[in-house]
Amino acid sequence: MLRIDIISVKPDLIKSPFEGSIVKRAIDKNYFEIYFHDLKDYSNYKRKQVDDYQFGGGSGMVLMIEPIKNCIDFLCKQRNYDEIIYMTPDAKILDQKTSNRLSTLENLIILCGHYKGVDQRVRDQLITMEISIGDYVLSGGELPAAVLCDSLARLVPGAIGDSTSALTDSFQDNLLAPPVYTRPANFENLKVPSVLLSGNKKEIENWKENKSIERTKQIRPGIIK
Ligand code: ADE
């Protein structure tokens, strides 16, 4: 069972991706638990303030360390966390290897950044790992957190009906997935490759592997080992 606690100033922004699809199935089947924590509930201030101006000047508000520390302390008193992750564009980019490792753990905290980011002392003292989902900037860490959770949920054993499905995803063996087809076998004279209809398992496997290699060389040559 993988438990994820998400800390955010806008927890409502991330609830909907977990209300459908594989993630919901994983939650319903108790393979995966997800909890949302509103940072404002951990503020020391009357108006639930959680951010402030930057010291030294500069545009954009910065999330303060106090509410984040309060929330993380509250959670860490209840259980041990394997990783406390901060979603930020200035970090290593998420890859399948990282998702595979994280999906085998038990308890994760994900802190979503907002505005200009968080006080550096949070990153230095409270966070154990930082993850970016790509070289582009989003307005908060909520969508990146949802992306990370989705990629983990599909790897938790039992979450996907067909357990080989996650293992044949793109990137699992440093290759992109091969093309896939379904009915009809002939659509307006666009035909499904005949090998897939042959019933010859070995030939089909070879064909898929060759297509994967071809596709990877064409689109992402850098990921082939
Ligand atoms: N927050 C804003 N942009 C992000 C990104 N690309 N990855 C992770 N967190 C982010």
Side-chain angles (χ1 to χ4, degrees), residues 185 192-208:
V192 170
S194 56
V195 59
L196 296 179
L197 311 173
S198 70
N200 185 328
K201 284 209 171 114
K202 190 133 198 291
E203 267 186 35
I204 293 173
E205 278 319 303
N206 283 340
W207 180 87
K208 284 186 178 175

Side-chain angles (χ1 to χ4, degrees), residues 12-71:
D12 289 341
L13 254 184
I14 16 173
K15 288 188 180 159
S16 69
F18 303 106
E19 284 159 9
S21 80
I22 286 170
V23 183
K24 177 163 191 307
R25 235 180 54 195
I27 294 170
D28 289 348
K29 288 190 183 166
N30 291 328
Y31 294 127
F32 188 68
E33 273 184 314
I34 194 148
Y35 295 89
F36 303 94
H37 307 276
D38 190 336
L39 196 57
K40 295 190 278 312
D41 294 341
Y42 297 86
S43 169
N44 292 342
Y45 297 90
K46 260 195 226 139
R47 289 196 174 161
K48 299 195 165 196
Q49 185 184 351
V50 291
D51 60 352
D52 214 332
Y53 295 102
Q54 295 182 44
F55 278 128
S59 67
M61 304 294 271
V62 175
L63 291 177
M64 297 186 286
I65 189 169
E66 290 157 305
I68 296 171
K69 172 90 166 54
N70 291 342
C71 185

Side-chain angles (χ1 to χ4, degrees), residues 87-89 131-134 136-141 144:
M87 303 306 298
T88 177
I131 295 179
S132 165
I133 62 157
Y136 41 84
V137 179
L138 300 169
S139 43

